[in-house]
Amino acid sequence: MLHMKIMQWMDSVLAKGEAMDFFHDEFRCPVYVKDLVTIVWTLTSRLISEESMQLLLNVGGPDRVSRVQMAEVVAHIRGYNLSLIKSVSSSTVNRGVKSPADISMDITRLIQTLNMSPTSFRDGVKLTLEAEFASAS
């Protein structure tokens, strides 16, 4: 639910006990999908009830995390060996396209405008992995 594909991938790699390189110098603010649904629902409801509305809001999660930090959270939640996570610079890998190093964002206005408390990255990963496990059972 929270960047499900990347969480599934990290989980599957670490579950195999394989060491893997993760970037320490690319930062993101992953948003939990249920928070995104709440945001869209709230804004849609306001748009329907108001004559006009113009807002510019950053939508992301409350935590700025690197790929290494993402993998560490998955490892902590699942009980995997942290030594499998190898911290590398994104410049060591040619992905064919240049990816921005930092696309984190300030979501203060979003939180204030919608009076919401977004789900932390750690809690979002835990809920996502639990949901995946429950649907696989």
Side-chain angles (χ1 to χ4, degrees):
M1 292 182 180
L2 174 92
H3 285 282
M4 186 62 124
K5 289 189 181 198
I6 195 164
M7 293 303 111
Q8 286 175 319
W9 173 76
M10 287 179 176
D11 185 38
S12 68
V13 167
L14 295 171
K16 293 176 188 170
E18 299 173 6
M20 180 60 83
D21 294 343
F22 295 97
F23 303 141
H24 61 80
D25 56 356
E26 280 192 1
F27 297 92
R28 308 293 186 252
C29 289
V31 61
Y32 183 54
V33 72
K34 289 186 178 182
D35 287 350
L36 188 56
V37 169
T38 299
I39 292 163
V40 171
W41 178 260
T42 303
L43 290 173
T44 303
S45 298
R46 283 192 186 179
L47 183 60
I48 291 169
S49 67
E50 296 179 17
E51 295 264 333
S52 66
M53 178 176 63
Q54 291 186 355
L55 283 174
L56 178 60
L57 300 170
N58 290 329
V59 177
D63 302 305
R64 177 182 181 264
V65 290
S66 69
R67 307 283 182 171
V68 167
Q69 291 168 314
M70 289 180 197
E72 288 171 345
V73 168
V74 171
H76 280 292
I77 289 170
R78 292 289 213 202
Y80 300 140
N81 187 339
L82 289 173
S83 69
L84 299 173
I85 299 167
K86 304 302 178 193
S87 178
V88 300
S89 172
S90 59
S91 64
T92 62
V93 178
N94 180 359
R95 294 176 280 177
V97 295
K98 188 166 172 95
S99 182
D102 192 344
I103 57 172
S104 60
M105 58 191 74
D106 180 356
I107 61 166
T108 303
R109 186 169 177 210
L110 173 76
I111 293 168
Q112 292 169 346
T113 302
L114 302 185
N115 192 28
M116 68 176 292
S117 297
T119 305
S120 71
F121 179 74
R122 181 183 222 13
D123 289 345
V125 170
K126 187 173 187 211
L127 291 165
T128 298
L129 294 174
E130 286 172 356
E132 179 185 323
F133 179 75
S135 67
S137 299

